[in-house]
Amino acid sequence: QVQLVESGGGLVQAGGSLRLFCAASGSIFTAAMGWYRQAPGKQRDLVATITIGGTTKYADSVKGRFTISRDNAQNTVTLQMNTLKPEDTGAYYCNAHFLAPPFRDYWGQGTQVTVSS
């Protein structure tokens, strides 16, 4: 069982920056990691992912503004968010997709990001 805990959310003005952290209670060495966000009344959408080897993928809406990174030694994943826009507002969730046993996904409880215009 792996627990994921997000932190770093908050209220920021448009154009500002935030850094989100995801801390895992166990090893994430065999997991692809990702950040997803969910705006009120909308579905949860992918923001960014990073593979075991460090390959990254971003939603078109955040390319060039967000950067995902991982530290397998510390079992953490970071999402650096720059030039924030009001449409970036939502609850941000950390995801671990294990490609080795236990072959399942884990989710954190989420951290709220609110960008004011």
Side-chain angles (χ1 to χ4, degrees), residues 69-89:
S69 59
R70 65 189 293 163
D71 185 336
N72 289 336
Q74 298 294 324
N75 295 319
T76 58
V77 180
T78 300
L79 184 68
Q80 177 68 43
M81 306 186 295
N82 298 327
T83 320
L84 283 160
K85 304 176 180 180
E87 51 263 44
D88 294 320
T89 294

Side-chain angles (χ1 to χ4, degrees), residues 2 6 9-10 18 20 25 30 32-33 37 42-43 47-48 59 69 74 83 91 93 103-105 109 112:
V2 174
E6 302 98 334
L18 281 175
L20 303 184
S25 62
T30 58
M33 302 298 297
R37 71 184 173 199
K42 295 188 177 181
Q43 67 181 20
V47 174
S69 59
Q74 298 294 324
T83 320
Y93 297 89
F103 293 111
R104 58 157 289 181
D105 281 45
Q109 292 300 306
Q112 179 67 33

Side-chain angles (χ1 to χ4, degrees), residues 5-85:
V5 179
E6 302 98 334
S7 62
L11 174 63
V12 64
Q13 289 188 331
S17 298
L18 281 175
R19 182 175 294 177
L20 303 184
F21 298 92
C22 173
S25 62
S27 174
I28 60 170
F29 186 75
T30 58
M33 302 298 297
W35 285 96
Y36 292 72
R37 71 184 173 199
Q38 187 167 18
K42 295 188 177 181
Q43 67 181 20
R44 189 174 298 185
D45 292 326
L46 181 147
V47 174
T49 60
I50 184 166
T51 68
I52 295 171
T55 300
T56 58
K57 178 181 177 181
Y58 298 93
D60 288 342
S61 61
V62 307
K63 284 180 181 177
R65 299 188 297 121
F66 290 13
T67 302
I68 187 172
S69 59
R70 65 189 293 163
D71 185 336
N72 289 336
Q74 298 294 324
N75 295 319
T76 58
V77 180
T78 300
L79 184 68
Q80 177 68 43
M81 306 186 295
N82 298 327
T83 320
L84 283 160
K85 304 176 180 180

